[in-house]
Amino acid sequence: MKTNNSLSDKQDRALAEMVRSLGNANFPEALSHFVGKTVEYDNLIIIVYHKDHNPEELYRESLDPLVYKAMETHYVNAAYLLDPFYHMIRNGIQSGIHRIFDLAPDQFKQTSYFKEYYHDTTLLDEFSLFARLGHETTLSVCFGRDETSGIQFNKAELKRIKSFEHILSALCEQHWRNYQPKEGKNVSLPPVTDRLRIKLKKQHEISLSPRQAEVALYILQGHSSLSISLNLGISKETVKVFRKQLYSKCNISSQAELFALLMPIFSIL
């Protein structure tokens, strides 16, 4: 590669093959091949996220099967609700390439999600290519590094792949332009906080206010009190009051206990 803004011959050929593959079943492999000529990675998964519905996996590849071992049992049923990628999609990101640790909340690595789920996947780093498939539907093409390579992506690698983010997003949008959710995924459902409150009341006789449920989700995602206050537009002191009320109602004293209480409920929302 001559410069970060020029194509090598191998990249040029790989990009041409990706264009030829538009609309064909081998497009994910062609996309994977092109990115691999630009940045080395250990695993890839393509997921579609729908508003207020479980995500749908379209494609995966990995050198170590352990990386996606809990995908069906944990991630698509519940854990995705705490994924920084999902959270940012819900906040409006629908295109471009983004690294997970650039989007993650300030206390993400201290969360039970990170310690009990993410760490067990052996993932060390990820970046995702987002493409808009509809007003409330976003495609995520997520490339990761795990213990196979044992290293994270560096700044030069991320800068190199981001130089192609617009064309890659556009090609994905074109390829999946006729995508339709599987039966049952296009049915409108109440917001996750409302469903959480209903299930928590039914299963544990715990009644949370809408704001307390919001704070619970932010806590589990890894947001500090300051971060929550900025996201909700309330004072840090008010957040602390909601957190204290939440823990009191749930009869818990830590984020880990909150995770243990709510994750089984998330899986049946």
Side-chain angles (χ1 to χ4, degrees), residues 181-230:
K182 289 183 179 179
E183 185 177 355
K185 287 193 177 291
N186 56 356
V187 178
S188 179
L189 292 174
V192 63
T193 49
D194 291 349
R195 287 178 279 146
L196 174 61
R197 292 172 61 223
I198 292 171
K199 293 294 184 180
L200 197 57
K201 174 65 174 177
K202 183 177 180 180
Q203 292 196 4
H204 298 284
E205 288 296 319
I206 296 173
S207 298
L208 297 183
S209 69
R211 187 62 97 188
Q212 289 166 350
E214 277 187 301
V215 170
L217 284 176
Y218 276 113
I219 291 172
L220 293 180
Q221 289 163 357
H223 290 270
S224 64
S225 293
L226 176 59
S227 179
I228 296 172
S229 72
L230 294 173

Side-chain angles (χ1 to χ4, degrees), residues 214-259:
E214 277 187 301
V215 170
L217 284 176
Y218 276 113
I219 291 172
L220 293 180
Q221 289 163 357
H223 290 270
S224 64
S225 293
L226 176 59
S227 179
I228 296 172
S229 72
L230 294 173
N231 276 277
L232 296 181
I234 57 180
S235 71
K236 184 177 177 181
E237 289 68 30
T238 302
V239 171
K240 290 181 178 180
V241 170
F242 281 123
R243 184 192 290 261
K244 184 176 181 180
Q245 293 172 343
L246 171 67
Y247 281 17
S248 177
K249 284 187 175 182
C250 296
N251 193 28
I252 59 174
S253 58
S254 68
Q255 189 258 21
E257 289 179 296
L258 184 65
F259 182 85

Side-chain angles (χ1 to χ4, degrees), residues 9-235:
D9 181 65
K10 290 182 179 179
Q11 285 177 310
D12 185 41
R13 291 175 182 275
L15 183 58
E17 183 57 35
M18 186 165 40
V19 173
R20 295 190 192 98
S21 300
L22 282 170
N24 298 323
N26 66 327
F27 178 80
E29 288 89 344
L31 172 61
S32 170
H33 181 66
F34 173 79
V35 173
K37 295 298 181 183
T38 309
V39 176
E40 293 183 359
Y41 61 89
D42 300 329
N43 53 75
L44 159 64
I45 190 162
I46 302 177
I47 298 176
V48 179
Y49 293 95
H50 313 274
K51 181 181 179 182
D52 296 324
H53 298 279
N54 291 356
E56 180 181 349
E57 179 187 337
L58 301 183
Y59 176 84
R60 76 167 70 167
E61 60 182 58
S62 63
L63 298 173
D64 183 354
L66 181 62
V67 174
Y68 298 128
K69 182 179 179 181
M71 180 58 59
E72 291 87 1
T73 57
H74 291 76
Y75 186 83
V76 298
N77 287 329
Y80 76 94
L81 292 166
L82 306 180
D83 187 339
F85 284 144
Y86 171 76
H87 183 58
M88 297 313 296
I89 287 172
R90 291 301 308 273
N91 282 349
I93 290 180
Q94 290 189 304
S95 64
I97 289 175
H98 306 273
R99 181 176 179 240
I100 190 167
F101 295 117
D102 294 334
L103 300 180
D106 49 357
Q107 296 183 349
F108 176 61
K109 291 186 178 181
Q110 282 73 55
T111 64
S112 293
Y113 169 81
F114 183 84
K115 295 176 180 177
E116 297 182 24
Y117 173 78
Y118 195 88
H119 184 267
D120 287 346
T121 66
T122 78
L123 283 164
L124 300 176
D125 203 356
E126 296 175 283
F127 68 83
S128 186
L129 165 69
F130 295 139
R132 178 175 178 172
L133 303 186
H135 177 61
E136 296 176 343
T137 305
T138 302
L139 182 84
S140 169
V141 186
C142 189
F143 299 87
R145 281 188 179 159
D146 53 53
E147 291 183 355
T148 303
S149 61
I151 57 173
Q152 294 185 322
F153 297 107
N154 61 45
K155 291 182 179 180
E157 290 171 323
L158 293 170
K159 182 179 181 180
R160 194 158 63 235
I161 191 61
K162 278 183 71 67
S163 69
F164 299 106
E165 64 180 347
H166 299 299
I167 189 170
L168 293 178
S169 288
L171 287 171
C172 286
E173 290 169 3
Q174 179 67 18
H175 176 73
W176 278 286
R177 67 189 184 281
N178 296 320
Y179 167 82
Q180 292 295 326
K182 289 183 179 179
E183 185 177 355
K185 287 193 177 291
N186 56 356
V187 178
S188 179
L189 292 174
V192 63
T193 49
D194 291 349
R195 287 178 279 146
L196 174 61
R197 292 172 61 223
I198 292 171
K199 293 294 184 180
L200 197 57
K201 174 65 174 177
K202 183 177 180 180
Q203 292 196 4
H204 298 284
E205 288 296 319
I206 296 173
S207 298
L208 297 183
S209 69
R211 187 62 97 188
Q212 289 166 350
E214 277 187 301
V215 170
L217 284 176
Y218 276 113
I219 291 172
L220 293 180
Q221 289 163 357
H223 290 270
S224 64
S225 293
L226 176 59
S227 179
I228 296 172
S229 72
L230 294 173
N231 276 277
L232 296 181
I234 57 180
S235 71

